[in-house]
Amino acid sequence: MQSKQAAKKKQAPESSTTDPAAAAEDAANRAFPIVGIGASAGGLAAFEAFFSGMPGEGDPGMAFVLVQHLAPDHKSILADLVRRYTRMQVFEVEDGMPVRANCAYIIPPNRNMAFLNGRLELLEHSEPRGQRLPIDFFFRSLAADQHECAIGIVLAGTGSDGTLGVRAIKGEGGMVMAQTPESTEFDGMPRSAIGTGLVDWQLPPAEMPAQLIAYTTHAFGKLQPHPPDQHPKLDAALMKIFVLLRAQTGHDFSHYKPSSIHRRILRRMHVHQVETLAGYVRFLQQTPAEVELLFHDLLIGVTNFFRDPEAFQLLEEQIIPKLFADRPTDSVLRVWTVGCSSGEEAYSLAILLQEQMEALKQRYTVQIFATDIDQRAIATARAGLYPAGIASDVSPQRLARFFTAEPGGAYRIHKSIRDLLIFSEQDLIRDPPFSRLDLVTCRNLLIYLDAALQKKLVPLFHYALKPGGVLFLGSSEGIGDASSLFAVLDRKAKLYERTEDVTGMQRAALSRLLPAPTARPHGAAPSDLPEKRPMRELTEQALLRHLAPAAALTNRQGDILYLHGRTGAYLEPAPGEAGINNIVKMAREGLRLELGAALHQASSRQESVHLPGLRVKTNGHFARVKLSIHPLATDVAAPGTSPMYLVVLEEAPSPDPETQAALPLASGAGDAGAKWSDADANARLVAVTEELRARDEYLQSAHEELETANEELKSANEEMQSVNEELQSTNEELETSKEELQSVNEELATVNTELQTKVADLSRANNDMNNLLAGTGIATVFVDHQLRILRFTPTASQIINLILSDVGRPVGHIVSNLIGCDDHLVDDLQAVLDTLEPKDAQVQTRAGLWYMMRIRPYRTLDNVIEGAVITFVDITEMKRIEGELESANKLLRLAAVVRDSFDAVTLQDLDGRTLAWNPAAVRMYGWSEAEALSMNVSERIPPGSREEAVTRLDPLGRPEVPEPHLGQRLTRGGAVLDVWVAATALVDEAGKVYAIATTERAKDPTRPAIPGGATR
C-alpha cells in the first residue's frame, strides 16, 4: 500500500492534468531567459566578439537565438563560426525545434522565424526581397511569448530592422542591449534602436556577456518579491517612489495599477542589481537621472499602425462614414487621441479620415488632437519618421500613398496627413479636456489605471464628445458602470456612442477633474460653486447680446472664421459661387477699400488699427461707422495655427447739427457768399464723387485682373503639383529600388564576410598542410586526370627535377633523378587511375638514396577521384640497416659453423690481437675465450719459429692467399704442438684487408692435412 502511494507521489509532478497548479509551478521553475540577437552587415565579426566574451567555465543559464540577414540562396557558415568560440551546442534551426538552455540556435537562410510555446517555428517570407525584416519579426514574437524573459540584442547592421522589436520587448518588461555605434562600421541598426530611448545598455559586443550574465543572475536567480498589495512595507516604498516621480516630472502615478507599476520598477531594479524596494528608493534619491529613466519605462506602450486590424476595419467601414454623413463642408471634424504615444494610431486615424474625404471628393476641415504625457514620444510623433518595420502593419498601397521612403530604410508620413494632427503634451488626470469632439480614441491606456480613476475618466470622455460622438477604446477596456452615458455600437471592437446626459453627471465629472478655483468667498461650501457657474455664463451671454458690437474673426486674407452680432448693416453676401466668405468682398460701399487697407496694415505691423467716421452705404442712405481691427495673440509656431484678427464694426455718433450749420457761415460774409459756397461745395462734391467712383472702378478692374492672375497662378500651381506628384511617385519607386538594393547589398556583405572567413580558413589550412608536408620531409607530387602536375612539395624537387613553372606540365615530360623509373612512372600512374588500386615501389636515385614511392588516387570529400598523389618516403637508412642485417645474418651463420668446427678457428687484426676464439681452440690450447681475446698471436708461437710464422701471416706484402702450412703453437701448459695452419685475409667493401682468419688443426697421422685452407 505504501509503495503504491509513493509511486503516485512520484508521478504527480509529471502529470499536467491531475494538478494544474503544480504543473504551472514546474513550468515556471523551468523558465529561463531567451536572448534574441539580431545583426546584418558586419554581423559575423560582432557575433565572434560576443561569443569570445562568454566565460570559459560554467553555463550561462539562457538560450541564444541568432537572427541575421542572409542571402536566400547561400548556405550560411554562422553555425560553424559560433562553434569555434563557445562550449554550448550550436544548432541550425529546423521547423518546430524546441529551445533548451545553454544552447545557441541559428536562423536558416530564406526563412522568417518566430518563437511560440518554447519552440522555434519557421515560415516562408511573405515580403519581397529587399523589404524583409526578420529581426523585428522574431523579436515581436519573442516578446509576445516570453514577456519579461525576453532579451533583445541589436548588433551591427544597416537600416532599422529590430527597432520595432525593441519596443515590443520593452513593452513586455524585457531587457534590451545595443552595440555601441563607435565599435562597428555598420551602425544603422544600433543607432535606430538607441534612438528609441529604450536601450538599457550600449556596449561593445565583447563586453555584453558579462553584463548579460550579471543581469540574468539577479533577475532570474532568485524568487521574485511579493506584490506590494500583500506587504505594507513594500506599498509604502512604492508611495515614496511616486512622490519622487511627481516631484521631478510633475506626474502622479499613484492611480496606476500596482501590478503594472511594480513589474516596471522591478525591471529597473534588475538593471541596476538593487535587491530591495527600499534600496531602490535610496538609489532614486541619489540619482535624479534614474527618476527620468523610470518615468520613461513606466510610459512604455506597445503600439503600431492599425493595431487590432478588425477594429480599425469596422471603424473605417461603419463609424467614419457616419461622421461625414450630412456634414456641411464648412464644419470642422474634431478628433481626440488620448495617450497617443509615438503617434502610430493617431496617424492611422488620419489616414482613414483622408481616405474617406477622397472617396467623398469633398474637402473638410479635420482637427486631430493627439496628446500624451511622454515628451519624447510626442517628439517622435511630431517628426513622423518611423522604421521600415511598419511595412508589416501598413498595406503596400497605403505605404506608397501616405509615406515617403527616407535614407536608411525609414518612412516619413506625408505632409498632407501630418497637417491634420496637432500633437501636444497633456496629463489626462490633471489638464482640462478638449470639447465638442466627434471621436475620442483612448486605447490601451485605461488598463494601466485603477478602477477609481477609470470611473472618473469615462464621464470626462462623455463631456468632451458631441451628442452622437463616438468613443473608441482598446480591446481589453470598457466603460464600466457608465452605461447611461454611452450606447454600445460594437462590444467586441469597443465602440460606443455618446447619449444625452439628462442627470447632470457630465458637469459633475468635469468638476472633479478640472482644477479647483483659486479662491472662494469665506464660508461658501463647495456645493455652492456649481450653482454660481451658470449665473456667470448667463450674465456674460446677456452682455454679449445687448452691449457687444458686431464683429468678425478673420485670418490674414480676410476669410471669415466666426461672426458675432448683427453684421448685416455692414456686410452683404458677394455674388458668384458660394465658398469661403471673405470680409473684404462682403463689405458694403464705403467700407471695402478702407477695410482691405486696414486689414493689410494690421497683419503687416501686428498692431491694432482704428478708423473712425467711415461713411457706409446701407439701404439707400449713408451711416457713420467706426472700424477697428485687433490682432489676436495665438501660438503661430504651433502646427495647424495661423494669425487671426478681430474686426469690430460700431455705429459712430452723428455730428452735432448746430455745428454742421455754422460751418458755411464761417467761410464768407452774407447770404451771397453762403450761396456761392454751397454751389461751389456741391460742384466739388460731385467732382470728388466722380473721381472716387472712377478710382473705385479702376480698383475693381485691377482687383478682377488680380483675381484672374491668381486663378491662372492657381492653375499653374495645380499643374506643378501634378508634376510634383509624378516626380514624387518616381522618387518613391527609386527609393524602393534603393531599399531593395541596400538589402541585397547587406546580404552580399554578409556573404562576402563569410567568404573572407572561408578564405582565411582555407589559407590557414593551406599553410598548415604546407608546413606539415615540409616538416615531415615527405616528397609529394599531385597530378590530375591528364597526369599534369598540380602541386609539389619542395622535397620532391630533389627527386624529380621540378621548378615552379612545371606546374601544369605532364609528369612524363619531367626528367627524374630515379634510376630506371622514368619509363614506367607514367604507366604506373595511369594504372592507378584506371584501377584505383594503390601501387608501392622502392626506387633509387643516382645519388644512391633509396625511396619508397607510393601512388594513391586523389579523393575529394565527396569521394570523387580527381587525380593521383605520388609520395616518396626516404628509406635509405632502412636499406642500410637491411644490408647490415643481411651481413650480420651471414656472420651469424658463419659463426655457427665456426662454433661447431673441430678445428681451432681464430680471428686476429693486422696487429695480431685475437678477435675470435672458438670452442675447439679452447680444447686444443687450453686458454679460455676471455684469456685468448687478451693475447697476441705471437704469444702462442714458440720463440724460434715466431718470425717465420709472422711473415707467413702478414698479407700486406703478398696479395695471393697463403697455402696451408705446418707450424708450431704453444699450449697453455707450455707444450709445443705441430699444427696445420690455413690463413685467410678478410677484405671490406673497399677491398682493404682488415683482419686475418686462421684454421689450425693438430698434426695427426690419422687425419689428413687441411686442403686449400678449408677446415673441413
Side-chain angles (χ1 to χ4, degrees):
M1 183 65 180
Q2 292 179 354
S3 62
K4 291 182 179 180
Q5 293 178 350
K8 290 182 180 179
K9 289 182 180 180
K10 290 182 179 180
Q11 294 175 358
E14 300 177 359
S15 175
S16 60
T17 58
T18 57
D19 193 352
E25 182 179 358
D26 186 49
N29 293 334
R30 292 195 305 267
F32 54 88
I34 309 295
V35 183
I37 309 178
S40 177
L44 289 181
F47 285 135
E48 176 182 339
F50 178 86
F51 284 100
S52 297
M54 295 291 291
E57 298 180 357
D59 294 326
M62 63 192 88
F64 299 87
V65 184
L66 280 60
V67 183
Q68 188 182 22
H69 293 178
L70 300 172
D73 53 354
H74 181 78
K75 180 175 175 57
S76 173
I77 64 169
L78 182 58
D80 297 330
L81 180 68
V82 173
R83 288 190 184 99
R84 302 178 186 177
Y85 300 99
T86 181
R87 300 184 302 106
M88 296 185 294
Q89 290 183 288
V90 181
F91 305 95
E92 185 168 301
V93 175
E94 298 178 356
D95 192 24
M97 177 176 285
V99 175
R100 295 183 286 113
N102 307 315
C103 295
Y105 300 87
I106 313 296
I107 186 174
N110 202 27
R111 288 290 185 274
N112 262 339
M113 184 168 62
F115 196 96
L116 181 65
N117 298 329
R119 294 179 178 272
L120 294 171
E121 306 292 341
L122 299 179
L123 300 92
E124 296 284 346
H125 281 293
S126 58
E127 308 87 359
R129 187 177 180 182
Q131 300 179 13
R132 298 170 181 173
L133 303 170
I135 302 174
D136 271 333
F137 189 87
F138 177 73
F139 278 8
R140 292 168 80 167
S141 70
L142 180 65
D145 191 86
Q146 292 296 301
H147 307 292
E148 65 274 3
C149 289
I151 298 175
I153 299 179
V154 180
L155 298 180
T158 59
S160 59
D161 192 11
T163 301
L164 294 181
V166 164
R167 291 184 180 276
I169 290 176
K170 290 289 288 187
E172 295 293 338
M175 188 270 284
V176 174
M177 287 182 171
Q179 183 174 356
T180 52
E182 298 77 15
S183 64
T184 176
E185 180 183 358
F186 306 96
D187 59 357
M189 284 171 45
R191 285 191 184 277
S192 181
I194 294 170
T196 63
L198 304 178
V199 173
D200 295 299
W201 283 289
Q202 304 174 36
L203 298 170
E207 300 178 13
M208 289 180 176
Q211 189 65 60
L212 181 63
I213 291 176
Y215 169 79
T216 55
T217 301
H218 186 273
F220 302 99
K222 56 174 68 72
L223 292 176
Q224 303 292 334
H226 295 286
D229 54 354
Q230 298 179 7
H231 291 267
K233 291 184 178 180
L234 298 181
D235 195 15
L238 273 180
M239 292 300 107
K240 292 181 175 63
I241 293 176
F242 295 153
V243 169
L244 295 173
L245 284 169
R246 188 175 63 180
Q248 185 161 332
T249 67
H251 298 291
D252 184 7
F253 287 89
S254 60
H255 290 290
Y256 281 59
K257 287 184 179 178
S259 58
S260 301
I261 293 291
H262 185 259
R263 186 171 65 252
R264 300 294 172 90
I265 293 176
L266 189 63
R267 205 196 64 79
R268 295 302 304 172
M269 292 170 59
H270 294 328
V271 169
H272 296 288
Q273 300 177 27
V274 179
E275 299 293 336
T276 63
L277 271 176
Y280 186 63
V281 171
R282 290 192 297 271
F283 181 72
L284 286 174
Q285 291 174 314
Q286 300 167 1
T287 316
E290 176 62 19
V291 179
E292 290 292 334
L293 293 175
L294 175 61
F295 171 68
H296 291 298
D297 257 22
L298 294 176
L299 298 180
I300 293 174
V302 181
T303 183
N304 50 272
F305 283 91
F306 301 99
R307 189 181 184 187
D308 300 330
E310 295 181 356
F312 268 92
Q313 184 177 2
L314 187 65
L315 187 72
E316 176 186 4
E317 296 175 352
Q318 299 184 16
I319 304 303
I320 291 181
K322 291 183 179 179
L323 297 180
F324 286 97
D326 301 327
R327 177 177 292 274
T329 56
D330 58 346
S331 63
V332 179
L333 180 67
R334 294 164 60 88
V335 179
W336 183 19
T337 301
V338 185
C340 68
S341 187
S342 49
E344 285 90 336
E345 289 198 359
Y347 283 123
S348 301
L349 280 174
I351 289 173
L352 295 181
L353 294 173
Q354 179 67 24
E355 289 177 341
Q356 182 64 24
M357 287 190 290
E358 293 175 356
L360 296 174
K361 297 181 180 180
Q362 292 286 344
R363 185 66 186 175
Y364 297 87
T365 302
V366 175
Q367 294 178 344
I368 303 177
F369 305 99
T371 62
D372 200 281
I373 65 174
D374 190 350
Q375 187 176 6
R376 292 195 306 184
I378 289 294
T380 301
R382 282 176 176 157
L385 186 65
Y386 296 97
I390 66 172
S392 60
D393 302 318
V394 183
S395 66
Q397 295 78 12
R398 284 173 174 162
L399 204 62
R401 172 68 181 86
F402 300 109
F403 292 86
T404 302
E406 294 279 331
Y411 290 98
R412 188 180 296 277
I413 197 78
H414 275 190
K415 187 177 183 299
S416 61
I417 301 298
R418 174 63 184 84
D419 290 343
L420 300 179
L421 290 101
I422 300 173
F423 290 100
S424 63
E425 185 178 350
Q426 184 196 42
D427 190 339
L428 183 62
I429 303 174
R430 182 186 60 188
D431 298 329
F434 295 92
S435 61
R436 297 182 294 108
L437 300 169
D438 297 279
L439 174 65
V440 172
T441 65
C442 180
R443 292 170 49 75
N444 303 307
L445 172 63
L446 300 180
I447 57 175
Y448 297 105
L449 309 178
D450 59 17
L453 186 56
Q454 290 184 27
K455 289 182 179 179
K456 294 182 179 181
L457 290 179
V458 173
L460 177 71
F461 296 149
H462 182 273
Y463 165 80
L465 286 167
K466 289 181 178 179
V470 178
L471 175 64
F472 186 23
L473 299 180
S475 58
S476 301
E477 299 169 335
I479 60 174
D481 56 358
S483 57
S484 61
L485 302 179
F486 291 94
V488 178
L489 295 178
D490 190 289
R491 192 172 302 278
K492 182 178 180 182
K494 304 299 180 181
L495 288 164
Y496 305 90
E497 183 179 16
R498 180 190 185 275
T499 59
E500 288 299 328
D501 179 22
V502 296
T503 60
M505 292 179 63
Q506 169 183 346
R507 189 172 303 279
L510 183 62
S511 64
R512 288 197 298 267
L513 286 171
L514 293 179
T518 56
R520 63 173 182 258
H522 179 70
S527 59
D528 297 335
L529 296 179
E531 297 178 0
K532 293 182 179 181
R533 189 173 179 88
M535 296 297 115
R536 175 183 173 183
E537 292 178 0
L538 291 174
T539 304
E540 290 176 349
Q541 292 174 2
L543 289 173
L544 287 174
R545 280 197 305 267
H546 295 286
L547 300 179
L553 184 66
T554 71
N555 58 13
R556 187 192 303 269
Q557 291 76 27
D559 297 330
I560 298 175
L561 305 178
Y562 184 80
L563 290 174
H564 177 268
R566 301 176 62 86
T567 58
Y570 316 106
L571 306 176
E572 62 181 354
E577 295 182 2
I580 297 177
N581 293 320
N582 189 278
I583 193 170
V584 178
K585 292 181 179 181
M586 295 177 63
R588 290 180 179 268
E589 182 181 348
L591 180 63
R592 182 176 304 167
L593 295 178
E594 289 78 2
L595 178 58
L599 183 61
H600 176 73
Q601 182 180 354
S603 63
S604 60
R605 299 181 183 180
Q606 287 297 309
E607 60 183 16
S608 299
V609 177
H610 301 275
L611 295 176
L614 298 178
R615 297 180 73 251
V616 180
K617 185 177 182 180
T618 59
N619 300 327
H621 67 277
F622 287 89
R624 299 181 64 83
V625 177
K626 178 182 178 182
L627 170 66
S628 59
I629 302 178
H630 308 277
L632 297 185
T634 57
D635 186 5
V636 181
T641 61
S642 60
M644 293 183 291
Y645 303 89
L646 183 64
V647 180
V648 180
L649 298 167
E650 300 178 81
E651 185 177 354
S654 300
D656 188 2
E658 295 181 358
T659 305
Q660 188 174 7
L663 285 175
L665 297 177
S667 309
D671 296 337
K675 291 180 181 178
W676 181 84
S677 298
D678 291 340
D680 183 54
N682 290 333
R684 295 188 63 182
L685 180 60
V686 171
V688 171
T689 303
E690 290 295 330
E691 182 180 356
L692 288 176
R693 183 179 295 108
R695 288 188 180 184
D696 190 22
E697 292 176 355
Y698 172 76
L699 290 175
Q700 182 68 24
S701 175
H703 184 68
E704 292 176 355
E705 292 178 359
L706 181 60
E707 287 185 345
T708 302
N710 286 337
E711 291 293 334
E712 294 176 355
L713 289 175
K714 183 178 180 181
S715 177
N717 184 46
E718 291 176 353
E719 293 178 0
M720 293 298 294
Q721 285 181 348
S722 177
V723 173
N724 184 49
E725 289 179 358
E726 294 177 1
L727 291 177
Q728 186 175 358
S729 176
T730 304
N731 183 53
E732 291 173 357
E733 294 176 359
L734 292 176
E735 288 290 344
T736 302
S737 301
K738 178 184 176 183
E739 291 176 6
E740 295 176 356
L741 290 176
Q742 182 178 358
S743 177
V744 173
N745 185 48
E746 290 179 8
E747 296 173 356
L748 291 177
T750 302
V751 173
N752 182 49
T753 306
E754 293 182 351
L755 292 178
Q756 288 179 351
T757 304
K758 284 187 177 180
V759 168
D761 292 343
L762 290 174
S763 177
R764 189 179 300 109
N766 188 44
N767 292 334
D768 293 344
M769 186 184 72
N770 289 336
N771 283 278
L772 175 64
L773 295 176
T776 57
I778 299 175
T780 307
V781 180
F782 298 89
V783 299
D784 59 12
H785 282 292
Q786 287 74 34
L787 305 185
R788 291 179 299 214
I789 297 174
L790 299 175
R791 180 185 295 181
F792 60 88
T793 59
T795 313
S797 61
Q798 302 174 7
I799 303 172
I800 303 176
N801 297 327
L802 293 173
I803 57 177
L804 291 177
S805 60
D806 289 331
V807 174
R809 294 179 59 189
V811 70
H813 293 182
I814 310 299
V815 178
S816 70
N817 295 324
L818 301 176
I819 300 175
C821 189
D822 290 340
D823 297 334
H824 58 79
L825 177 60
V826 174
D827 296 336
D828 292 343
L829 283 170
Q830 191 62 50
V832 170
L833 290 175
D834 294 340
T835 62
L836 301 182
E837 294 181 1
K839 186 176 182 60
D840 297 341
Q842 294 183 0
V843 294
Q844 187 180 19
T845 64
R846 292 183 175 86
L849 301 177
W850 285 89
Y851 292 92
M852 173 62 72
M853 182 180 71
R854 293 189 174 94
I855 303 176
R856 299 287 188 273
Y858 183 96
R859 299 177 183 270
T860 66
L861 294 176
D862 300 327
N863 200 26
V864 177
I865 306 300
E866 291 188 353
V869 182
I870 313 170
T871 58
F872 296 90
V873 180
D874 190 353
I875 59 172
T876 303
E877 184 68 18
M878 184 181 70
K879 294 292 287 186
R880 185 186 65 79
I881 294 174
E882 285 181 356
E884 292 180 355
L885 288 175
E886 185 177 357
S887 299
N889 289 334
K890 291 179 180 179
L891 291 175
L892 287 175
R893 290 192 295 271
L894 180 60
V897 173
V898 171
R899 184 182 65 250
D900 298 337
S901 175
F902 291 100
D903 298 325
V905 180
T906 64
L907 183 68
Q908 63 191 48
D909 61 13
L910 300 182
D911 294 329
R913 291 189 296 270
T914 303
L915 300 177
W917 187 263
N918 71 341
V922 175
R923 293 191 299 270
M924 183 181 295
Y925 298 113
W927 281 290
S928 65
E929 182 179 5
E931 292 172 337
L933 293 178
S934 63
M935 296 172 60
N936 193 287
V937 66
S938 60
E939 297 177 20
R940 297 190 296 107
I941 303 174
S945 48
R946 184 172 298 169
E947 183 178 353
E948 178 185 2
V950 171
T951 301
R952 285 180 176 275
L953 294 176
D954 185 7
L956 300 176
R958 294 178 290 106
E960 67 276 3
V961 179
E963 295 290 333
H965 63 279
L966 184 65
Q968 292 182 331
R969 295 291 187 269
L970 295 175
T971 65
R972 191 173 188 279
V976 177
L977 295 178
D978 294 329
V979 294
W980 288 97
V981 180
T984 304
L986 301 182
V987 183
D988 58 15
E989 295 178 355
K992 185 178 179 180
V993 177
Y994 66 89
I996 299 173
T998 62
T999 303
E1000 301 168 2
R1001 178 182 299 172
K1003 184 180 179 182
D1004 187 354
T1006 61
R1007 298 180 63 186
I1010 301 174
T1015 59
R1016 283 187 184 268

